[in-house]
Amino acid sequence: MALWRAYQRALAAHPWKVQVLTAAHSKRCPDNTCVPCTGSLMGVGDIISQQLVERRGLQEHQRSRTLTMVLLGCGFVGPVVGGWYKVLDRFIPGTTKVDALKKTLLDQGGFAPCFLGCFLPLVGALNGLSAEDNWAKLQRDYPDALITNYYLWPAVQLANFYLVPLHYRLAVVQCVAVIWNSYLSWKAHRL
């Protein structure tokens, strides 16, 4: 909690600097707090993937891959997920347990499959895969990625939609997502 309060104080005092450091996008929530983007956390996830999962070592670390993940976080993941939370909250505005369950069902039943179906081929395209190779990779990796998603995200999202105000949801998800980003980076870059 102390770390969260420090983040909030820094965000209030120096919004632009904190946004840059957390790769935040420029949209503001209605209560004037910034919605953090996922760029730096996608990069951290890739570093964890390369160093702890794949055990590449610093000499073999693919910096361009980490940069790609950072750019994807800033330009695709952050805006899409942040926008989805706003749409979802307008569509189901309540905060009851039933509302949280409805949001989780829509998020995991509709958004998650579509999001993964866009994210994996986008990484493949940015990595220079041909359309045929990208399609084959998507067919191979998508089912496993979606099943793995269902092991983690329904419980996280249920708690997130029930306990966390809208303007903090993306930040909470991205704290959990460091591990998920490591998995996604490994899955997306495995040939």
Side-chain angles (χ1 to χ4, degrees):
M1 288 305 284
L3 188 58
W4 181 252
R5 285 190 298 272
Y7 171 79
Q8 285 297 97
R9 282 193 304 273
L11 188 61
H14 307 286
W16 188 82
K17 291 176 187 175
V18 172
Q19 287 178 32
V20 168
L21 290 174
T22 60
H25 58 83
S26 61
K27 295 181 181 179
R28 296 210 178 257
C29 292
D31 66 353
N32 213 25
T33 61
C34 299
V35 179
C37 185
T38 61
S40 59
L41 294 172
M42 292 289 291
V44 168
D46 181 68
I47 291 167
I48 291 169
S49 177
Q50 289 193 55
Q51 297 305 314
L52 299 179
V53 177
E54 300 167 38
R55 299 189 182 273
R56 289 181 172 272
L58 295 177
Q59 299 296 348
E60 298 297 318
H61 188 88
Q62 296 174 342
R63 289 177 186 89
S64 62
R65 175 177 144 177
T66 301
L67 181 60
T68 297
M69 294 300 284
V70 168
L71 294 175
L72 274 169
C74 291
F76 176 71
V77 178
V80 168
V81 174
W84 167 244
Y85 287 155
K86 290 177 183 177
V87 167
L88 191 57
D89 213 54
R90 280 190 210 120
F91 187 63
I92 305 170
T95 58
T96 67
K97 290 178 187 176
V98 172
D99 294 328
L101 183 59
K102 288 178 187 177
K103 289 176 187 180
T104 301
L105 289 172
L106 275 175
D107 182 66
Q108 293 301 300
F111 180 77
C114 294
F115 176 80
L116 285 172
C118 294
F119 178 82
L120 292 171
L122 183 56
V123 173
L126 291 172
N127 286 330
L129 291 181
S130 68
E132 295 82 19
D133 289 342
N134 209 358
W135 177 247
K137 183 168 176 23
L138 179 64
Q139 288 179 309
R140 182 189 77 204
D141 292 346
Y142 180 81
D144 184 51
L146 188 60
I147 289 167
T148 304
N149 169 84
Y150 289 140
Y151 284 126
L152 174 65
W153 287 110
V156 170
Q157 291 295 59
L158 189 59
N160 197 28
F161 293 135
Y162 183 58
L163 302 171
V164 179
L166 173 62
H167 55 278
Y168 293 126
R169 286 186 190 145
L170 185 58
V172 168
V173 164
Q174 290 313 315
C175 290
V176 176
V178 170
I179 301 302
W180 177 246
N181 294 340
S182 300
Y183 168 79
L184 274 184
S185 180
W186 169 78
K187 181 61 86 177
H189 291 94
R190 199 179 64 146
L191 297 176

